[in-house]
Amino acid sequence: MTTACGSSSGGAPEAVPSDKITITWQSTGGEAQKQEAQALQEPFTVKTGVKFNNVTSLSYISQVQTMVKSGKTVWDVVHTGSYLAKAYCGTLFEKIDMARMPATLVPEGTTTECSVPGTKFATEFAYDTTAYKDTVPTRIADFFDTGTFPGKRVFYNNPKGILEAALVADGVAPERLYPLDVDRALGKLGTIKSDIIFAPSYTAFQQNLVDKQATMALGLNGRLHITNDSGGTMAPVWDFTSWDYTAWLIPKGAPNAKAAEEAVAFALEPEQLVKFCAMNGLTPVRTDIDPNTIPFAETAKVFNPFLGSDRGRQARQDNTYWAENVAEVTRKWTAWQVG
């Protein structure tokens, strides 16, 4: 039987039999977390005997901060975004053994000392095919053209990805987006502010589209294909798309840090990533996995910007910029929204 150790803080831990370890894994909840359990965790349990306890929280970063500050960390893995991995590596999250991770098989600049990316996703433009038939949107600027394309626009109430789209629509080249001109982006969004629905959750975002309350959207590709699976009639516009990625990190002082690192390394292996992505329409960041070979559902293929070379201009969201500026950008975003 394999063994794994607990947290490395506070001296050498005593080895614990793997079948006595339960990893507490914080993620996004809902169907996505069930997919993580099925594709990533259950095979690891079969291999090692290690079990999992899944939790979810909208305030997970604040909770990790509290745990680390008090020295009472109870979570072992946190699934989070790239800029948070960048911002809190070494303070809230443990540095990991890169020799065990596929760090050389991901795009340059996507790793930290605490993380290797797992899956990538995109913020893309889509429209309701029942609302626009004779003349349809073909470029990101059309999202802001309420004269030619009347109707409400919806996006999840978060500036990441939205500001990038606004700037490209206003003439900024994708390769020259950063540092973001936030005021210019908000000015562009201000031209259609009365037609924007700020969705408070991804569920609300999807419902706005299914119920035809909005006829255009800037949304995550996975959420858009789920929308169509739920009765939506959306189609993508392949002009400009920005993308980002997530990673599984180990909080400082995690009680099962060694086992957690083994589980993360296992999750990043091709077999597990392909199975996970086939379930949810996300795309592995690993460059040695061809996304065209993944058995995506047809609706997921429709909205996946990483399949083929005919899906418009793309830009990776700059995690260093967002790590350093998220507080100020959020302050401006909120002030503009309520102003």
Side-chain angles (χ1 to χ4, degrees):
M1 179 181 295
T2 58
T3 59
C5 299
S7 170
S8 60
S9 60
E14 181 181 351
V16 179
S18 294
D19 60 355
K20 302 297 183 183
I21 292 174
T22 298
I23 291 175
T24 299
W25 184 291
Q26 149 42 59
S27 192
T28 56
E31 190 64 25
Q33 194 148 5
K34 293 177 184 177
Q35 293 163 348
E36 286 184 57
Q38 186 177 346
L40 311 177
Q41 298 172 3
E42 291 173 11
F44 189 72
T45 298
V46 170
K47 180 180 179 180
T48 67
V50 171
K51 300 178 181 62
F52 291 85
N53 172 40
N54 285 292
V55 298
T56 186
S57 170
L58 293 177
S59 59
Y60 65 93
I61 286 295
S62 295
Q63 288 182 252
V64 173
Q65 289 173 323
T66 300
M67 291 179 195
V68 172
K69 185 176 181 179
S70 66
K72 298 178 180 179
T73 302
V74 296
W75 292 347
D76 299 298
V77 175
V78 171
H79 193 186
T80 193
S82 67
Y83 82 92
L84 291 168
K86 183 85 171 181
Y88 295 115
C89 179
T91 55
L92 295 185
F93 299 112
E94 299 277 7
K95 295 180 181 181
I96 58 176
D97 180 3
M98 282 294 175
R100 305 187 59 193
M101 308 290 174
T104 61
L105 296 172
V106 295
E108 184 178 355
T110 60
T111 65
T112 70
E113 291 183 287
C114 303
S115 64
V116 171
T119 58
K120 57 185 178 180
F121 57 91
T123 300
E124 62 190 47
F125 174 24
Y127 70 95
D128 190 329
T129 58
T130 67
Y132 312 110
K133 296 181 179 179
D134 295 332
T135 303
V136 301
T138 59
R139 56 193 187 128
I140 190 65
D142 292 336
F143 186 84
F144 298 85
D145 184 357
T146 55
T148 306
F149 302 101
K152 294 291 186 180
R153 279 71 166 144
V154 64
F155 45 74
Y156 176 58
N157 191 12
N158 185 309
K160 274 184 89 269
I162 307 304
L163 298 181
E164 285 88 342
L167 288 170
V168 173
D170 202 41
V172 178
E175 64 273 16
R176 301 181 68 86
L177 279 169
Y178 300 96
L180 295 178
D181 186 336
V182 177
D183 293 334
R184 179 175 175 177
L186 293 177
K188 183 67 173 178
L189 287 163
T191 64
I192 59 167
K193 188 175 182 181
S194 61
D195 289 304
I196 294 175
I197 298 173
F198 298 91
S201 68
Y202 289 120
T203 300
F205 168 85
Q206 292 161 204
Q207 202 61 48
N208 285 143
L209 297 173
V210 171
D211 293 345
K212 312 294 186 182
Q213 296 169 13
T215 55
M216 287 190 180
L218 288 171
L220 303 184
N221 61 292
R223 296 292 172 174
L224 288 167
H225 91 72
I226 291 172
T227 296
N228 274 16
D229 286 343
S230 303
T233 51
M234 305 299 291
V237 177
W238 296 126
D239 176 31
F240 170 72
T241 299
S242 67
W243 64 274
D244 198 7
Y245 53 90
T246 62
W248 294 283
L249 293 94
I250 301 166
K252 278 278 192 179
N256 300 294
K258 180 176 173 59
E261 187 172 295
E262 292 173 356
V264 170
F266 181 81
L268 292 171
E269 292 175 359
E271 183 177 353
Q272 285 73 246
L273 277 181
V274 167
K275 183 178 180 181
F276 180 53
C277 290
M279 291 177 175
N280 54 38
L282 299 175
T283 304
V285 179
R286 288 182 66 132
T287 55
D288 60 337
I289 299 176
D290 181 356
N292 293 285
T293 65
I294 297 174
F296 291 119
E298 287 305 312
T299 49
K301 290 181 182 179
V302 168
F303 291 100
N304 191 316
F306 309 110
L307 301 179
S309 58
D310 59 346
R311 303 209 162 183
R313 299 170 293 169
Q314 297 186 5
R316 191 177 85 211
Q317 294 173 15
D318 188 325
N319 59 4
T320 299
Y321 171 84
W322 279 104
E324 294 174 351
N325 295 280
V326 65
E328 177 61 15
V329 173
T330 302
R331 183 192 67 77
K332 286 189 174 184
W333 171 265
T334 303
W336 167 79
Q337 184 181 334
V338 301

